[in-house]
Amino acid sequence: MSPAAMRTRPKVLLAGNPNTGKTTLFNRLTGAELRVGNYPGVTVECITRELVLDGGVSVELTDLPGAYSLSARSAEEQIALQALCGLDPYPKPELAVLVIDATQLARNLYFTLQVIEAGVPVVCALNMQDELASRGVEVDRERLEQRLGVPVVAVSAKHGQGLAELGRAVAKVLEKPSLGQPGPRWRPEEVELRADVEAVGQALPAEWTSQGAARTEALALWALLSIDEQDELGGIDPELRRTVMERRRMAQEAGRDLDQAVVAGRYGWIDRHAPEFLEEQPERRSWSERVDALILHPLAGFFLFLLTMGVVFQFLFSWSDPLIGGIESLFAWIAEGIEALLPAGLFRDFLVEGIVGGVGSVVVFLPQILLLFLFLGLMEDSGYMARVAFLMDRIMKALGLHGRAFVPLMSGFACAIPAMMGTRTIERKRDRFLTMMVIPLMTCAARLPVYSLIIAALFPPGEIWGFVPVQGLLMVGMYVFGTVIALVCAAVLGRTLFRGPRVPLILELPPYRLPKLRYVLRMMWQRARLFLSEAGKVILAFSVLLWILLTFPREPALERDFGAERNQLALQELSPAELEEKLLVLDDAESGERLRASYAGRLGQALEPWIEPLGFDWKIGIGLIGSFAAREVFVATMGVVYGVGGEVDEQSPNLRDRIRAESRSDGKPTYTPLVGLSLMIFFALACQCMSTLAVLKRETKSYRWPVFLFVYMTVLAWVSSFFVYQGGLLLGFG
Ligand code: GDP
Ligand code: MG
């Protein structure tokens, strides 16, 4: 191998404030299809792709999460620092492309200055050129370039303009790094602050100080502002920590505000020089501000939001219905095909009931998930979602949650898995973990089929006051119930386990934009894929396992000899209609006996003493066992339990009828509306999702939190169902 080939490719980082178009640019440059959103904090992981520049140089391009500044106390923003400065374990980057939202130039320059200070070779991409004119902003690119001392290229990532120039600028700086390394633009001047920086600089670990005085000073400034009693930074040298704390204490005693001095210093530099390259038209009350006045209004805005969500869910249910029907017919058709092709037997049953049924029960969720993400995507990309977060901040804060927790909680309506991953935009670990602990209480799409089945089977259709449909009201009620409990739990956990100071919401309102359908569709597909791969595997595996548990042992010893009873029937003198009826009764009794004798039946019976106080019998017990893998497995399991077979889902009239007709040994119906309510409450609160636990383990890097989540939710579910059922009995609703 030639030495040139052995040398690794130059590493180029895309960095900048959130929502400046980094990912859009990344996708444009590399042809990747990462998720873009008109909402700060969409990119939560570093993603790297190879990029070949015009001159044939190939680089490794990494899309970093957005950061407002390098000096922050969260582990997340420490990653940005380490990646940019090439501190252990990150390799030293050859270059950083700073993506700047030109319409927010002054604010974006703060971070730009910090990165330049840190001595990383920089090229600035002045993005959103297409929006400048309409926003009344003019930027003099050349003078900005002179002032910053690094190449500045005007681009529009969305429209693919200026990319070739950007590539050329990158290639140039890679060849001659000093072109992008002008040295710090702003340096602390006050004597006291200089002394602080000096002292901290001497305490820096050797690895940090090996690259010259400017870099040392930048890292000392970073440490001085970032390390404090409550930071969540990892791997900070104890000697350094001690020195910083000492300097901070001294400053405090002298009545100096270190943070203020540094922040004001950098912004002072920006304000002094901005008139040279920036011209902003005096405030004009644009249409977007007028819209904001309504949307952000504490009362009107709140009702507008409720209305929006009402409309969204209405569409969600009415549009997904025909799609779900189509999927079911498709799987029924496949099952019939297999039955026609293969001889009857264990293998055919396995294929039809285990595999086709299992895959079907996964795919049947897609319409709702896709539609929910379509609506969330439209809300996000238009800029509405960020405003909702802003609107909700006050309520969230009252509940002890961070304002940014709102969107992950909303996504929890679709699926807890992407929602938990979405909490990465919350800076502090405490806020983040608290949010993750309550997300699974939000009514995810998997509860929907369970609620639908129970409501359709046990609650009569009809209207209250002549126009409010009972069934719809119950469904909305379950959503409200889940949300209220989630918020109550957040308030309780936030005041006990996760007590701590509040961190204010820093969220800029992105401009309103016409959503780009391509992005929204792409996001829908990505989320759907995530669901299919993370949840689908588990659901499929469990439906196969369940099929085995329900099918074996193959020839159980039954208490009654059904063969003999059938023969006896044949000997009696009965009309054909009577005979058929009696045979059907026998068939039912036999499949009931078989079920009871199966492994699943035995498990259900073992569980029965535990769930009887909630109003559940052992057959529901079988359904519950399955549902702890994933809630939606419940519907399919009940289908198997009641021998409906084939295309089982919450809409099957067959399954509904069987459930309605089911009776206990004493002849009373097994399922009353009260049992239904108790069952729905159990599903609302219990932690029945393996995939959620797996994701939580990955996000918290510990087994402690998944175990805690599972225990607290399941106990909560049991206790709530207990009170509802027993209370209902006392009130005479049995
Ligand atoms: P990131 O958070 O920095 O990765 O930003 P994204 O790439 O997710 O983009 C944020 C928003 O800005 C999205 O709505 C993009 O469509 C939009 N956007 C990105 N680049 C441009 C651009 O050049 N012009 C306009 N008008 N919008 C852009
Ligand atoms: Mg991004």
Side-chain angles (χ1 to χ4, degrees):
M1 205 186 278
S2 74
M6 274 169 65
R7 216 179 304 135
T8 48
R9 288 190 290 264
K11 281 163 283 296
V12 176
L13 303 178
L14 275 181
N17 287 25
N19 210 34
T20 52
K22 295 178 294 299
T23 306
T24 311
L25 187 61
F26 183 83
N27 289 347
R28 272 276 175 198
L29 291 171
T30 63
E33 304 225 312
L34 300 184
R35 189 163 161 243
V36 171
N38 190 16
Y39 183 82
V42 164
T43 310
V44 284
E45 253 166 8
C46 303
I47 299 192
T48 302
R49 287 284 155 86
E50 185 187 347
L51 167 69
V52 182
L53 296 175
D54 266 356
V57 190
S58 129
V59 304
E60 249 174 48
L61 190 68
T62 300
D63 184 24
L64 283 186
Y68 289 105
S69 86
L70 276 183
S71 15
R73 287 143 195 166
S74 77
E76 226 77 304
E77 272 163 306
Q78 189 183 9
I79 293 179
L81 171 86
Q82 287 172 317
L84 277 165
C85 294
L87 300 175
D88 195 46
Y90 293 85
K92 189 166 176 289
E94 270 69 24
L95 187 142
V97 173
L98 289 182
V99 184
I100 294 175
D101 177 352
T103 66
Q104 312 275 354
L105 182 58
R107 192 175 342 161
N108 280 218
L109 284 182
Y110 187 88
F111 183 67
T112 310
L113 287 183
Q114 276 191 313
V115 178
I116 292 176
E117 264 169 45
V120 188
V122 165
V123 170
C124 288
L126 204 54
N127 194 23
M128 314 253 182
Q129 290 297 318
D130 55 309
E131 280 197 0
L132 281 179
S134 66
R135 302 275 225 88
V137 180
E138 262 179 66
V139 180
D140 188 330
R141 188 198 61 80
E142 277 174 39
R143 293 176 93 170
L144 177 62
E145 192 171 77
Q146 282 163 14
R147 191 39 79 193
L148 290 178
V150 300
V152 175
V153 185
V155 303
S156 168
K158 198 173 186 170
H159 301 283
Q161 281 155 7
L163 301 188
E165 288 97 307
L166 184 64
R168 279 196 289 278
V170 167
K172 235 194 231 157
V173 175
L174 281 177
E175 205 162 291
K176 195 162 174 238
S178 63
L179 287 179
Q181 243 174 335
R185 308 282 88 184
W186 170 81
R187 303 183 71 176
E189 280 146 22
E190 298 136 71
V191 186
E192 300 97 325
L193 190 56
R194 292 217 60 83
D196 289 329
V197 170
E198 195 115 324
V200 173
Q202 271 157 18
L204 291 177
E207 183 218 345
W208 292 27
T209 56
S210 56
Q211 288 174 42
R215 162 75 65 103
T216 305
E217 185 177 303
L219 289 174
L221 262 176
W222 176 84
L224 193 60
L225 254 62
S226 304
I227 297 172
D228 69 7
E229 295 91 7
Q230 297 172 13
D231 68 54
E232 286 167 356
L233 307 171
I236 298 293
D237 182 69
E239 166 66 18
L240 173 61
R241 186 173 282 278
R242 219 170 312 124
T243 311
V244 171
M245 302 297 274
E246 172 68 12
R247 298 309 291 199
R248 289 188 78 88
R249 195 184 49 74
M250 281 165 54
Q252 201 179 10
E253 277 167 11
R256 292 189 302 128
D257 185 338
L258 286 178
D259 304 73
Q260 176 62 25
V262 176
V263 174
R266 281 204 196 93
Y267 271 119
W269 186 94
I270 296 171
D271 288 343
R272 268 198 309 284
H273 296 290
E276 297 167 16
F277 46 74
L278 181 65
E279 201 172 307
E280 276 177 293
Q281 273 174 19
E283 284 297 320
R284 42 175 192 183
R285 202 166 149 74
S286 67
W287 67 269
S288 92
E289 281 167 74
R290 254 171 288 167
V291 173
D292 275 348
L294 177 67
I295 283 187
L296 298 178
H297 188 274
L299 234 109
F302 189 70
F303 278 105
L304 205 64
F305 169 64
L306 284 187
L307 195 70
T308 312
M309 290 324 286
V311 171
V312 162
F313 278 107
Q314 180 56 40
F315 277 121
L316 191 68
F317 294 134
S318 56
W319 287 2
S320 61
D321 239 28
L323 294 173
I324 292 175
I327 292 176
E328 280 157 15
S329 323
L330 177 70
F331 277 87
W333 179 79
I334 296 175
E336 274 168 31
I338 294 177
E339 279 173 347
L341 279 175
L342 296 176
L346 193 58
F347 180 65
R348 191 180 84 175
D349 285 354
F350 172 71
L351 270 189
V352 170
E353 290 162 16
I355 300 291
V356 177
V359 174
S361 62
V362 174
V363 177
V364 97
F365 283 105
L366 275 184
Q368 273 173 354
I369 291 188
L370 287 174
L371 280 173
L372 187 80
F373 282 124
L374 172 69
F375 291 126
L376 286 182
L378 290 177
M379 281 170 70
E380 194 180 282
D381 214 35
S382 61
Y384 184 51
M385 196 63 119
R387 283 158 178 87
V388 171
F390 188 79
L391 190 66
M392 292 296 149
D393 186 44
R394 208 171 332 162
I395 302 176
M396 294 275 113
K397 240 193 281 179
L399 295 162
L401 282 166
H402 191 268
R404 287 229 181 116
F406 181 75
V407 172
L409 282 176
M410 281 283 303
S411 324
F413 278 134
C415 180
I417 296 165
M420 287 212 166
M421 305 198 322
T423 60
R424 293 188 198 169
T425 61
I426 302 172
E427 305 99 38
R428 294 279 171 139
K429 213 196 270 175
R430 172 188 312 120
D431 297 324
R432 219 186 133 205
F433 282 20
L434 173 60
T435 311
M436 287 199 281
M437 285 303 128
V438 299
I439 282 177
L441 285 166
M442 302 301 283
T443 306
C444 66
R447 283 164 172 112
L448 207 57
V450 179
Y451 293 165
S452 302
L453 172 68
I454 297 172
I455 290 177
L458 301 178
F459 294 90
E463 273 110 30
I464 311 179
W465 306 315
F467 68 96
V468 184
V470 177
Q471 298 187 332
L473 194 67
L474 262 171
M475 188 62 102
V476 173
M478 289 314 294
Y479 270 86
V480 174
F481 175 73
T483 313
V484 169
I485 297 290
L487 297 181
V488 169
C489 283
V492 172
L493 288 174
R495 279 167 182 72
T496 51
L497 210 55
F498 296 92
R499 209 164 31 197
R502 299 277 125 69
V503 184
L505 172 79
I506 307 175
L507 180 83
E508 44 191 312
L509 293 181
Y512 288 106
R513 293 199 174 101
L514 213 56
K516 227 175 155 168
L517 201 60
R518 207 165 61 99
Y519 292 152
V520 175
L521 292 179
R522 187 196 294 156
M523 180 186 85
M524 269 166 72
W525 167 236
Q526 282 171 350
R527 295 289 176 91
R529 222 174 36 194
L530 192 73
F531 167 78
L532 287 179
S533 64
E534 298 259 344
K537 272 184 296 200
V538 180
I539 301 172
L540 180 61
F542 267 83
S543 48
V544 169
L545 180 68
L546 261 171
W547 180 83
I548 294 173
L549 287 177
L550 286 164
T551 315
F552 293 94
R554 224 19 209 160
E555 294 297 337
L558 299 181
E559 273 171 31
R560 287 161 63 181
D561 184 347
F562 287 95
E565 287 188 41
R566 273 198 194 91
N567 289 340
Q568 249 190 336
L569 272 185
L571 294 179
Q572 290 169 14
E573 280 174 32
L574 292 168
S575 71
E578 264 181 322
L579 179 64
E580 187 167 348
E581 193 181 312
K582 293 226 152 125
L583 278 175
L584 272 180
V585 173
L586 259 189
D587 284 349
D588 267 3
E590 179 170 6
S591 53
E593 285 270 320
R594 280 182 176 281
L595 184 63
R596 184 186 279 275
S598 71
Y599 292 128
R602 292 179 210 173
L603 274 176
Q605 286 163 66
L607 202 63
E608 199 169 44
W610 288 92
I611 55 176
E612 216 170 3
L614 314 183
F616 310 156
D617 68 351
W618 61 274
K619 289 188 180 177
I620 301 181
I622 299 179
L624 286 185
I625 295 172
S627 71
F628 269 90
R631 294 178 180 89
E632 53 274 33
V633 172
F634 182 78
V635 175
T637 316
M638 291 323 260
V640 182
V641 168
Y642 288 112
V644 182
E647 79 286 27
V648 192
D649 67 83
E650 72 277 12
Q651 316 274 328
S652 312
N654 261 340
L655 181 55
R656 282 182 207 165
D657 290 342
R658 294 296 301 258
I659 284 181
R660 239 173 260 151
E662 181 74 5
S663 62
R664 295 174 194 269
S665 45
D666 59 5
K668 285 195 193 135
T670 309
Y671 298 90
T672 59
L674 182 60
V675 173
L677 193 63
S678 167
L679 195 55
M680 285 200 291
I681 288 193
F682 191 85
F683 269 88
L685 304 179
C687 183
Q688 301 157 292
C689 183
M690 300 288 234
S691 319
T692 300
L693 293 173
V695 169
L696 185 61
K697 150 92 196 359
R698 207 178 68 192
E699 294 295 312
T700 59
K701 300 188 184 68
S702 125
Y703 281 104
R704 217 171 76 209
W705 295 112
V707 168
F708 172 75
L709 182 76
F710 181 82
V711 171
Y712 111 79
M713 281 181 69
T714 305
V715 168
L716 185 67
W718 195 91
V719 171
S720 307
S721 284
F722 180 84
F723 277 110
V724 165
Y725 183 68
Q726 298 296 337
L729 284 185
L730 283 181
L731 293 176
F733 286 109

